[in-house]
Amino acid sequence: MSIKRRTFLGLIGAAGVTVASTGARAAGNAHFDGYPGSKGVLFDATRCIGCRKCEAACNAVNELPAPAEKFDDLTVLDRSRRTDAKTFTVVNKYETPSGGPVYRKMQCNHCLEPACASACFVKAFAKTPEGAVSYDASVCVGCRYCMIACPFNIPTYEYDEPLSPRVRKCTMCRPRILEGRLPGCVEACPKEALTFGTRDELIKIARKRIEKYPDRYLDHIYGEREMGGTSWLYISGVPFSQIGLREDLGYASAPELTSGALAAVPVVAGLWPALLGGLWAINKRKEKIARQEKREAVENAVARASAEAESKLSAALSKAEVENRRRIEVEVKRALEEAGLNDTKEEG
């Protein structure tokens, strides 16, 4: 099996990053509470009406391809959907035992200690001070470990992009945030089901709503502590499991869960460059031998073809020469006969 240069460099980078990040926060036991003043979004499931205007805004802001169904087509809510490489957010409808349908917006939750960043050995993902989890396609090697690591099943891959596929997900409209603007979905929501602000302030807003309307809300802010905390927070009047959110994640962050396993990695990490280098050299030698054998086979085939062609040409020329000589003799004899020279010679 041929090892591509990009893959090899990625594997070498993995070993290097593992050694370099031994003491980093991502692989340590210390919990990260987020950057001071980092932003987030509070989603209120009691206010969402499933209008899909947030989807349309997300599509426009991120310049994504138009969907198969128009955004005013609400029949799509009759089936469960998830985000993909061309859709960064979707709204799903959930029929609950307590009564009418409840709607929930799905997108990247922008964890305080992202599992995608913890799993990425080339640091293509990073938690930014603004609150968003950013992605750098220029260093991504396409391993897709982030897709496996994410407990919310969010990152997706451009499988239909043959040249430079990327991992795709919600950006929390970070460029807009840096400009002092609202995320597209928040700005477009007609019912204020989405509230943008600092994460600390959003938690206070959520607590006030729960305290003011105890009959409307569950006494829990989803994302305040789940998986170490997220920048996207939820409040709801029905159990979160009924609107598609996992309630089995616990409060430990992804780096906390993997720190014990990662602690053993530095012991063997130093061996990987040599091992991978050896595999690379063996693979390159095999490729060189294969190319040489192929070149020799082509040269031999060309030589045989040339010799055969030359032989056929020589035979054809010899045959043509004989036939030409015979034709000349016939023509001379015919000319003599027409001149009567053959009869005169016979009478003499």
Side-chain angles (χ1 to χ4, degrees), residues 3-335:
I3 302 176
K4 294 183 179 179
R5 178 176 179 273
R6 185 185 185 195
T7 304
F8 172 73
L9 293 177
L11 292 172
I12 286 293
V17 169
T18 302
V19 175
S21 63
T22 303
R25 180 181 64 238
N29 291 317
H31 174 63
F32 179 54
D33 292 322
Y35 292 100
S38 67
K39 309 296 184 181
V41 178
L42 172 64
F43 172 78
D44 189 334
T46 69
R47 297 185 178 187
C48 182
I49 59 173
C51 65
R52 300 186 65 202
K53 292 189 183 299
C54 57
E55 293 186 33
C58 177
N59 180 274
V61 167
N62 292 285
E63 299 180 346
L64 299 172
E69 300 92 353
K70 294 182 178 180
F71 290 110
D72 58 1
D73 180 3
L74 301 186
T75 62
V76 300
L77 298 174
D78 294 332
R79 67 177 187 272
S80 178
R81 298 179 297 150
R82 60 154 296 181
T83 59
D84 57 39
K86 298 179 177 61
T87 310
F88 291 174
T89 188
V90 297
V91 175
N92 280 325
K93 179 174 69 174
Y94 301 89
E95 299 293 344
T96 62
S98 58
V102 179
Y103 303 93
R104 201 249 313 173
K105 181 179 178 299
M106 176 189 296
Q107 73 297 303
C108 175
N109 287 319
H110 299 279
C111 304
L112 299 186
E113 297 182 88
C116 56
S118 178
C120 182
F121 54 74
V122 294
K123 297 185 178 180
F125 290 91
K127 181 69 173 179
T128 65
E130 298 77 31
V133 175
S134 66
Y135 166 71
D136 185 354
S138 68
V139 299
C140 178
V141 297
C143 68
R144 301 187 291 281
Y145 290 162
C146 55
M147 296 171 60
I148 300 172
C150 178
F152 302 108
N153 198 29
I154 292 298
T156 55
Y157 197 64
E158 291 180 316
Y159 289 104
D160 58 348
E161 175 57 54
L163 298 179
S164 55
R166 299 165 294 175
V167 173
R168 305 288 274 163
K169 71 172 191 66
C170 159
T171 65
M172 208 165 89
C173 289
R174 183 171 179 246
R176 291 171 62 92
I177 293 175
L178 292 173
E179 295 173 357
R181 303 166 66 189
L182 292 173
C185 58
V186 177
E187 189 175 70
C189 183
K191 294 296 183 180
E192 297 184 354
L194 300 169
T195 305
F196 177 77
T198 65
R199 186 173 184 273
D200 292 340
E201 186 61 29
L202 293 176
I203 291 174
K204 292 178 181 178
I205 292 173
R207 290 196 193 285
K208 287 181 180 179
R209 290 186 190 176
I210 293 172
E211 291 172 2
K212 187 175 182 179
Y213 303 103
D215 296 334
R216 182 186 301 176
Y217 297 100
L218 295 179
D219 187 11
H220 183 70
I221 304 171
Y222 190 96
E224 182 180 9
R225 296 180 61 194
E226 277 77 9
M227 288 298 296
T230 62
S231 292
W232 207 280
L233 305 166
Y234 302 81
I235 52 177
S236 170
V238 299
F240 293 102
S241 60
Q242 294 182 13
I243 56 173
L245 286 168
R246 293 180 59 180
E247 293 186 312
D248 61 340
L249 297 176
Y251 296 153
S253 67
E256 287 183 78
L257 294 174
T258 58
S259 61
L262 292 177
V265 173
V267 178
V268 296
L271 300 176
W272 279 106
L275 175 60
L276 294 173
L279 292 174
W280 177 254
I282 293 172
N283 184 72
K284 296 303 291 183
R285 177 173 174 77
K286 288 182 178 180
E287 291 179 352
K288 181 179 180 181
I289 293 174
R291 286 195 301 268
Q292 183 177 352
E293 291 177 347
K294 183 178 180 179
R295 184 170 57 252
E296 291 176 354
V298 171
E299 290 174 353
N300 291 336
V302 170
R304 287 196 301 271
S306 298
E308 185 177 351
E310 185 176 352
S311 176
K312 289 182 178 180
L313 178 60
S314 178
L317 290 174
S318 297
K319 182 179 179 181
E321 184 178 356
V322 171
E323 291 178 351
N324 188 47
R325 189 182 304 114
R326 289 177 180 174
R327 186 168 59 253
I328 293 172
E329 291 175 354
V330 170
E331 292 296 331
V332 170
K333 182 177 180 181
R334 181 182 300 161

